[in-house]
Amino acid sequence: MRPPAVSLRWKIALTVMAVSCAVAAVLGVLVHNAVARQTVGQVRKEARANLDTALDLFEYGTSREGLNSLLDPPELPAELRRLARSGQRGTMVGTYHGRSVMWAAAPADGQVMAAWRPYGTVHRSLDHFDTAILGSAVLAAATVALAGLFLAHRISRRLGTTAAVARRITAGDLDARVGDGPARGPGGGAAGQDEVAAVAAALDSVAGSLQSRLQAEQRFTADVAHELRTPLTGILASAELLPEGRPKEMINDRLRALRRLIEDLLEISRLDSGTEHADLAAYDLGELVRRCVTATGLDTEVRIAADAVVETDRRRLDRILANLVINAHRHGRAPVVVTVDAASGPRPTIEVRDHGPGYPADLLHHGPQRFRTDAPGRGRGHGLGLTIAVGQSAVLDIDVRFTNAPDGGARTLLRLPQGAVVG
């Protein structure tokens, strides 16, 4: 089982918190050691000074009252006692009458002279100092973590915005822009902006370039179609003057195919321009679909699972269904079945199904592509029929899904917009 994913925001915040805690811990240990050495060293120095004074007074036989010095005190730590008896001096923390003290000891005429200084206050001072260091470290770590979380939130939000714009561009909204791009410096480089802004600017630049190229392609397609329409009309008129016979029939057949292609290109150009609008009216869905299918003149079965009155554009829906039915007969195999179900949910559905080899994987993954019908066994054509069906469906806000049936055959599902049912 994979662990739950952690967002970039929390990764940055946790990393900053971990680093700040590590730095605070290291600094706390260093400061504690430095202060402890200084404080303990000062007490040890005072104890040694007392010991030196006590030894001088002992040597001259003078009273040592008030110096906190003793000869062979029983509470002197054993290790320090052995050190003094061996002829050396030393200091060690121990106890005296239940209090923590710093002992200093040295040999004195075959005995051990010991002097002590109170050490309990040093313990308490170091404990208070450690508490202050710990509190300061926690406060600093929390402050840095909050600052890191705020910074990570800003970065994550900007990256999320960039990703959302990228998804809109992928879905076909080429007008989408992040709008967070940096000012451009000499040579096209980013001028004084961070990497997130650079990524946003690059995405906007790619979207702008892609949009310009697609618009140029659309204008070219429209211009070519318009320019071909006039001479084609003249050629069709001239062909009618040819003598009757097989050559005339072949020429007229190819000219009619060319005219349909040009009309399809002009229709795609209008759809690409985004200026098409639906002319909605109320129709009985089952009867409307039946008339549309019958008008194709192809042997197609229509099944009405559940009927309803819907609001749609009859001309555009007729164009969608005609293209799907013709495509099913041209590239699939009989029987071709169109099923209407207005009770399958909040959105009425129309299904067009054949029993041929099915849609190719490339079409299922990327959708219809112009001038591409490269599926083995699905015939040949210019590939504009499904493209037009998808474009007209977008005008009517119809959801189009291309799938293959489990038992074989291409299956196209049209889901009319929610609220299309009247009454």
Side-chain angles (χ1 to χ4, degrees):
M1 181 177 179
R2 297 179 60 184
V6 181
S7 66
L8 178 63
R9 177 191 315 172
W10 286 107
K11 286 181 180 178
I12 295 176
L14 292 175
T15 301
V16 170
M17 179 183 293
V19 171
S20 61
C21 288
V23 172
V26 171
L27 290 178
V29 171
L30 294 176
V31 172
H32 167 82
N33 290 339
V35 172
R37 280 196 302 269
Q38 182 179 3
T39 305
V40 174
Q42 180 64 31
V43 177
R44 183 176 285 115
K45 181 179 178 181
E46 293 174 356
R48 286 172 176 171
N50 283 359
L51 177 62
D52 290 338
T53 303
L55 288 173
D56 290 340
L57 295 176
F58 177 76
E59 184 179 351
Y60 292 109
T62 309
S63 173
R64 304 187 310 277
E65 186 178 356
L67 286 178
N68 297 335
S69 62
L70 299 167
L71 280 172
D72 287 326
E75 295 180 272
L76 186 68
E79 185 178 351
L80 183 58
R81 186 187 302 276
R82 287 193 298 270
L83 182 67
R85 289 191 181 281
S86 67
Q88 301 182 55
R89 294 187 174 201
T91 58
M92 182 177 289
V93 177
T95 60
Y96 180 62
H97 292 172
R99 294 182 299 168
S100 179
V101 297
M102 173 67 75
W103 287 103
D109 194 17
Q111 302 181 74
V112 176
M113 176 64 71
W116 56 271
R117 294 287 299 173
Y119 193 73
T121 56
V122 176
H123 268 305
R124 288 191 293 272
S125 297
L126 290 177
D127 289 342
H128 292 160
F129 185 71
D130 289 343
T131 302
I133 290 178
L134 180 60
S136 300
V138 171
L139 180 60
T143 303
V144 173
L146 290 176
L149 184 60
F150 173 73
L151 178 62
H153 173 71
R154 290 192 61 188
I155 295 175
S156 177
R157 183 178 60 186
R158 293 168 65 191
L159 289 175
T161 301
T162 303
V165 171
R167 286 191 292 268
R168 289 173 56 190
I169 294 173
T170 303
D173 184 8
L174 297 182
D175 292 322
R177 296 291 185 274
V178 180
D180 192 23
R184 309 307 296 180
Q193 294 290 332
D194 58 32
E195 289 79 1
V196 178
V199 171
L203 179 61
D204 286 348
S205 176
V206 169
S209 176
L210 180 61
Q211 186 179 37
S212 298
R213 293 188 181 187
L214 288 178
Q215 288 175 345
E217 178 186 340
Q218 292 167 4
R219 286 194 298 270
F220 175 77
T221 302
D223 292 343
V224 168
H226 278 291
E227 293 299 324
L228 288 176
R229 177 185 260 180
T230 300
L232 179 61
T233 302
I235 294 174
L236 283 170
S238 300
E240 294 297 327
L241 302 178
L242 294 175
E244 298 294 334
R246 182 59 180 168
K248 179 179 180 179
E249 293 178 1
M250 294 177 61
I251 291 174
N252 285 334
D253 179 68
R254 292 298 87 199
L255 288 175
R256 284 192 293 269
L258 180 58
R259 182 171 62 181
R260 286 194 299 269
L261 174 59
I262 293 175
E263 294 298 330
D264 287 347
L265 289 174
L266 288 173
E267 184 173 357
I268 289 177
S269 299
R270 291 192 298 270
L271 293 172
D272 287 341
S273 67
T275 58
E276 295 286 283
H277 299 285
D279 184 14
L280 301 179
Y283 298 94
D284 183 272
L285 183 60
E287 184 60 28
L288 177 61
V289 170
R290 195 184 301 278
R291 287 202 304 266
C292 293
V293 172
T294 302
T296 63
L298 300 172
D299 184 14
T300 305
E301 180 183 358
V302 178
R303 299 175 182 174
I304 311 297
D307 203 356
V309 176
V310 298
E311 196 173 50
T312 187
D313 187 323
R314 182 194 60 78
R315 181 183 64 83
R316 296 184 190 278
L317 185 60
D318 179 80
R319 180 70 163 143
I320 296 168
L321 290 175
N323 282 11
L324 293 177
V325 170
I326 292 173
N327 182 81
H329 280 278
R330 180 178 296 169
H331 303 298
R333 285 196 297 268
V336 176
V337 181
V338 178
T339 305
V340 177
D341 189 356
S344 59
R347 305 180 66 166
T349 62
I350 304 172
E351 180 188 88
V352 180
R353 157 92 188 273
D354 65 51
H355 292 76
Y359 287 122
D362 188 62
L363 185 146
L364 295 176
H365 185 68
H366 299 289
Q369 300 182 50
R370 303 170 192 181
F371 301 104
R372 287 195 60 180
T373 54
D374 52 358
R378 284 192 61 83
R380 304 179 61 183
H382 50 67
L384 297 182
L386 294 182
T387 303
I388 292 174
V390 171
Q392 294 289 6
S393 297
V395 176
L396 296 179
D397 195 22
I398 294 176
D399 179 30
V400 184
R401 298 185 182 181
F402 298 98
T403 60
N404 288 328
D407 55 344
R411 178 175 176 266
T412 307
L413 185 65
L414 304 177
R415 299 177 66 207
L416 275 64
Q418 190 168 357
V421 178
V422 178

